[in-house]
Amino acid sequence: MLCIFGISGDLAKKMTFRALYRMQKAGTLDVPIVGVALDDWDDEALRSHARAAVEATVKDPDREALDAMLARLSYVQGDYGEAGTFERLKRALGDAAQPLFYLEIPPSLFATVVKGLGQAGLVDHAHVVIEKPFGHDFDSALELNEELREVLEEGQILRIDHYLGKEPVMDITYLRFANSILEPIWNRNFVSHLQMTIAEDFGVDDRGRFYDAVGAMRDVIQNHALQVLGLIGMEPPTGNDPDSIRDQKLDFFRAMRAADPERYVRGQYDGFREVKDVAADSTTETFAALELQVDNWRWAGVPFFVRAGKCLPTKCSEVTAVFRRPPQLGVGHGKTAEPNHLTFRIEPEPGSRMRLFQKRATGEEFEPADLEVLFEREPGSDPEPYERLLGDALNGIHTLFTRQDTVEQTWRVVQPLLDHPGKVHPYEPGTWGPAKANDIVKGITHWSDPWLPGT
Ligand code: BG6
């Protein structure tokens, strides 16, 4: 049994019904679904809302699969603060032995709902999926966890970071550990620095209220960016137990130095303050650029540069390792070749590219020669992040969910930046953020142009 709190909300409309429909079509959904929300709906109202949501997000949905998914839905109306809501839910759950509760509700209500579930005796063999953000800083993440742990064991809490459900993010782990040629060069002896970019070419649209309270650091860097860097930088997992990767990521984050506010630049796109529900004098960042350092044997002294933002020139998400420059020798007219790059592209068109240099055919100059691998895809049928993560949660597979120890470490790393955010610099939409962001990489490198399809 799957039970979704916040079924009438925006995330359900944009993502969840689509994921449930896709799971139904792929044959991986075989449980009844109860939706809970405050709206005065009944089963039929929920079904017609869900139908419209699928039709708006899936091109030509398969009628049979859609009807079968809708037939699984039923509705419980209620206020999350009232015991009666949970009594009604208990009746709807019947004798479900291991329910999965998915909380896609405002973070301020996580603890209320979990308490309500506990008081109604619904959590004994249950698992609870919690949407991000998990806390808004280090202390609040601890507090939230304490509240949840009054009712649940750590192993019952599944903290979602949808980036970990992206196929190309999983591809990173495969590329690193299915190829022994990478390991000898994957360290400070060969890598000069790393760069990660998460760029979006649109603004905050109708999410002004949410975003103004959060900003780029909390929205994508503390979670998505750091989780990806964890996979890029961790030691090889040992053994096959479900925690082997999560343990290595934890060690990597433990070795990460608390970020330095002097190595942090925030930007805000012109026009952000005019977005509905954004304060007219908002200083929230819609762009962030920073340097991170990892004090371990593999990475000491190798800067990890990260930038993320809204209203940038393109939508892309990638990580590049930049290798050390070769020495200047008697080739290339005495010039030094550019360093080699290895890029993992998460979006668009997932793949990886090793940039080598060769001799230009008609001259003596260096010319880029790229080895490109587009990750294996089955267009249309690859599981999407929410589909994958909900499926894993229903099947009791927890590997792709974040543990509390890791969440705490990532908040520890960014906490100095939250405490001392510094000034926010305006930038024009469609540019790579404020010019000040170049200070972060100055003297070491420049921000690399993203690897886009066809370039
Ligand atoms: C979400 C953020 O977690 O991730 C959004 O709240 C952001 O602001 C999104 O746009 C990016 O993820 P994706 O998968 O849509 O690229």
Side-chain angles (χ1 to χ4, degrees):
M1 174 78 84
L2 171 62
C3 171
I4 303 176
F5 282 81
I7 195 82
S8 60
D10 212 39
L11 186 61
K13 192 164 148 190
K14 289 191 177 139
M15 298 283 187
T16 317
F17 292 119
R18 172 186 166 91
L20 294 172
Y21 160 79
R22 287 175 58 95
M23 289 164 75
Q24 176 74 49
K25 189 151 181 280
T28 54
L29 186 67
D30 61 358
V31 289
I33 304 162
V34 181
V36 190
L38 187 58
D39 302 61
D40 190 14
W41 290 0
D42 57 12
D43 295 353
E44 271 322 302
L46 170 61
R47 289 187 188 132
S48 67
H49 174 83
R51 181 185 293 280
V54 172
E55 284 170 350
T57 51
V58 179
K59 196 163 165 266
D60 296 331
D62 177 288
R63 293 288 134 200
E64 217 176 293
L66 177 54
D67 287 345
M69 187 278 276
L70 296 176
R72 296 181 182 282
L73 296 174
S74 61
Y75 187 66
V76 168
Q77 188 276 335
D79 185 310
Y80 305 146
E82 285 173 11
T85 306
F86 296 90
E87 288 308 321
R88 286 196 291 285
L89 177 60
K90 194 172 188 171
R91 285 197 289 279
L93 291 180
D95 54 6
Q98 292 190 312
L100 179 70
F101 297 105
Y102 176 24
L103 274 44
E104 39 181 328
I105 53 180
S108 55
L109 295 172
F110 290 153
T112 312
V113 167
V114 168
K115 268 187 204 135
L117 291 171
Q119 279 158 4
L122 290 172
V123 295
D124 281 354
H125 301 285
H127 288 94
V128 181
V129 177
I130 310 271
E131 257 305 328
K132 78 173 249 278
F134 195 89
H136 59 268
D137 58 12
F138 181 78
D139 289 341
S140 60
L142 291 190
E143 265 164 46
L144 172 59
N145 193 52
E146 270 167 29
E147 289 181 297
L148 301 185
R149 288 298 305 277
E150 282 171 20
V151 181
L152 301 165
E153 297 294 330
E154 166 67 18
Q156 292 180 286
I157 307 171
L158 305 180
R159 299 172 192 79
I160 260 194
D161 183 317
H162 84 277
Y163 246 67
L164 293 177
K166 285 182 188 271
E167 288 281 311
V169 171
M170 287 179 245
D171 282 318
I172 293 174
T173 324
Y174 276 75
L175 211 72
R176 274 197 65 196
F177 302 120
N179 297 292
S180 53
I181 59 163
L182 272 188
E183 177 55 19
I185 56 170
W186 206 240
N187 56 52
R188 66 192 152 89
N189 297 323
F190 291 86
V191 177
S192 120
H193 64 275
L194 286 104
Q195 293 197 17
M196 172 160 202
T197 296
I198 301 183
E200 291 176 313
D201 57 356
F202 46 85
V204 300
D205 301 333
D206 53 359
R207 296 167 75 220
R209 185 185 307 278
F210 161 79
Y211 198 90
D212 196 20
V214 172
M217 176 55 62
R218 292 181 168 97
D219 189 38
V220 296
I221 291 189
Q222 175 269 334
N223 34 69
H224 305 332
L226 285 181
Q227 287 298 327
V228 171
L229 291 181
L231 296 173
I232 291 278
M234 70 183 184
E235 293 306 305
T238 51
N240 270 325
D241 73 279
D243 271 320
S244 54
I245 289 186
R246 297 195 293 185
D247 287 345
Q248 299 297 2
K249 273 200 298 182
L250 174 64
D251 273 355
F252 174 79
F253 292 129
R254 278 199 182 126
M256 199 176 256
R257 221 181 274 171
D260 177 359
E262 295 289 315
R263 309 289 297 145
Y264 176 41
V265 168
R266 301 192 310 134
Q268 186 188 77
Y269 67 81
D270 294 337
F272 175 67
R273 293 176 180 182
E274 280 85 69
V275 172
K276 184 168 173 287
D277 296 327
V278 169
D281 57 354
S282 170
T283 56
T284 300
E285 77 282 353
T286 60
F287 172 93
L290 65 150
E291 177 187 324
L292 295 166
Q293 290 281 348
V294 182
D295 293 323
N296 65 12
W297 192 257
R298 188 184 288 270
W299 295 119
V302 178
F304 284 58
F305 297 117
V306 184
R307 63 177 172 169
K310 304 265 181 204
C311 281
L312 300 185
T314 187
K315 173 153 171 61
C316 70
S317 176
E318 64 170 43
V319 186
T320 294
V322 180
F323 293 87
R324 292 183 180 278
R325 273 177 190 273
Q328 184 184 343
L329 292 173
V331 290
H333 278 321
K335 289 211 177 107
T336 312
E338 289 294 309
N340 300 122
H341 287 196
L342 176 61
T343 300
F344 296 99
R345 185 165 69 200
I346 298 165
E347 250 154 358
E349 246 187 55
S352 74
R353 178 185 76 175
M354 174 60 104
R355 169 151 285 189
L356 303 172
F357 289 89
Q358 62 180 4
K359 178 179 139 341
R360 194 191 191 126
T362 51
E364 295 278 321
E365 294 85 11
F366 297 113
E367 188 176 72
D370 294 337
L371 302 179
E372 294 185 5
V373 182
L374 292 183
F375 294 146
E376 193 65 24
R377 286 282 83 93
E378 282 190 43
S381 57
D382 276 347
E384 293 179 353
Y386 275 102
E387 192 183 338
R388 167 76 195 226
L389 293 171
L390 278 179
D392 279 5
L394 282 167
N395 290 315
I397 302 168
H398 299 176
T399 333
L400 297 178
F401 294 88
T402 52
R403 285 192 324 221
Q404 177 64 15
D405 47 14
T406 311
V407 169
E408 283 174 19
Q409 286 298 324
T410 49
W411 280 122
R412 176 192 61 76
V413 168
V414 303
Q415 189 63 47
L417 311 182
L418 304 175
D419 293 340
H420 306 283
K423 187 168 172 278
V424 72
H425 302 269
Y427 64 95
E428 233 178 273
T431 64
W432 283 106
K436 185 93 183 133
N438 293 328
D439 290 0
I440 299 292
V441 290
K442 204 166 165 183
I444 302 173
T445 184
H446 51 83
W447 292 105
S448 310
D449 289 339
W451 169 37
L452 297 174
T455 61

